[in-house]
Amino acid sequence: MELKKVHQKAIVLLFEGDKKRSEIASELQIAESTLYNWLKDDTFTTAYDEYVKTIMGKSSGKALNTMLSLLSAKSEMVRFNAAKDIMDRGGLAPVEKQEIKQENLNYEIVIDDWDDEDAED
């Protein structure tokens, strides 16, 4: 299949995702079955995938800036999730969990009621 302007318009409309396929077919003045056939065609689907990659590539800087700005959010959970996501996507996440086990350790806990009078002595 050779991609024409109508195919390119279909790719854009499909990507935007705010219309049903029947609405897209109607707007393009094609039968809905034609659109379904295009979606089965390797050339069309490859062009669609390339379009998605291009749009995502152009949006990645803005998306990263949004994530970085969330590091200053008021909500501790939002800040945590933003930091975790940035670390994960940057390949800086822990690879595996490690269990730390301590056996046969005795601790002495001293609780002292410290106040100002004790500090002066």
Side-chain angles (χ1 to χ4, degrees):
M1 163 194 285
E2 181 183 330
L3 291 181
K4 299 177 182 174
K5 287 192 179 202
V6 68
H7 297 112
Q8 294 170 355
K9 179 72 174 172
I11 287 169
V12 171
L13 292 171
L14 287 164
F15 175 79
E16 289 173 350
D18 58 346
K19 294 183 181 179
K20 297 178 184 178
R21 291 182 180 176
S22 59
E23 294 171 322
I24 293 172
S26 177
E27 184 173 329
L28 298 173
Q29 298 178 345
I30 60 171
E32 194 172 345
S33 60
T34 300
L35 182 58
Y36 279 97
N37 288 334
W38 291 354
L39 290 166
K40 295 178 194 173
D41 183 86
D42 288 340
T43 304
F44 185 86
T45 56
T46 299
Y48 178 83
D49 291 343
E50 290 300 317
Y51 181 77
V52 170
K53 287 178 189 175
T54 299
I55 297 299
M56 295 300 286
K58 289 180 179 180
S59 303
S60 63
K62 187 175 181 179
L64 179 57
N65 284 333
T66 298
M67 292 300 293
L68 291 171
S69 71
L70 290 174
L71 292 173
S72 301
K74 288 182 181 180
S75 166
E76 187 174 298
M77 185 58 76
V78 170
R79 291 192 314 270
F80 170 78
N81 285 328
K84 183 179 181 321
D85 192 58
I86 291 168
M87 299 292 285
D88 287 349
R89 293 173 192 277
L92 301 172
V95 178
E96 61 185 59
K97 293 181 181 178
Q98 294 182 359
E99 185 177 324
I100 299 173
K101 197 173 192 180
Q102 295 180 341
E103 294 180 21
N104 299 325
L105 295 175
N106 295 320
Y107 294 98
E108 181 179 333
I109 299 174
V110 178
I111 299 175
D112 187 14
D113 198 16
W114 187 71
D115 58 36
D116 290 339
E117 289 178 19
D118 292 338
E120 293 175 9
D121 291 336

